[in-house]
Amino acid sequence: MIVKEKRIADADFERQLRAAKERPVTEPEAVSAVYKNGEIHIRLASGWNFSFPPKHFSEFKKAKESDLKQVGLTGRYTLSCEPLDIDISIGGIIVEL
């Protein structure tokens, strides 16, 4: 397979660099979190998605299906499940997976 090297103009690079500095990222930012088909699915603002079985985390070991259906986000950085009083950072979830 032949891969051609692609370059961008210096002005484009500088513009992209300035834009990146204006929006520093310190935590993974989620846009949605839902429970379906036996897994919690999280969609990140970056476009990446991941899912996991809730039993992977001890906080969810005794969770009922009705509890898991209420999984969602608190803000954009925390997975929450109100009936179980669970709040886990999205970054913490990624590290544990």
Side-chain angles (χ1 to χ4, degrees):
M1 175 168 82
I2 299 173
V3 178
K4 293 184 179 181
E5 186 175 306
K6 294 185 178 186
R7 295 178 182 250
I8 63 172
D10 289 345
D12 287 337
F13 175 79
E14 292 298 326
R15 180 186 51 76
Q16 291 176 17
L17 184 60
R18 280 192 306 277
K21 287 179 181 179
E22 290 174 10
R23 187 172 172 239
V25 176
T26 58
E27 285 283 327
E29 184 178 1
V31 295
S32 69
V34 296
Y35 174 77
K36 67 179 182 179
N37 301 325
E39 293 192 325
I40 295 173
H41 301 267
I42 298 177
R43 195 172 99 221
L44 300 177
S46 66
W48 287 86
N49 303 297
F50 66 95
S51 56
F52 60 93
K55 301 289 185 204
H56 182 78
F57 289 87
S58 61
E59 293 90 341
F60 290 108
K61 292 254 188 254
K62 296 180 182 179
K64 298 176 192 160
E65 191 82 9
S66 60
D67 297 328
L68 293 169
K69 288 182 179 180
Q70 295 187 53
V71 161
L73 295 173
T74 298
R76 298 184 73 124
Y77 304 100
T78 306
L79 176 73
S80 298
C81 185
E82 196 170 315
L84 301 172
D85 195 29
I86 294 173
D87 295 298
I88 307 172
S89 75
I90 300 300
I93 292 169
I94 292 170
V95 168
E96 290 298 316
L97 296 177

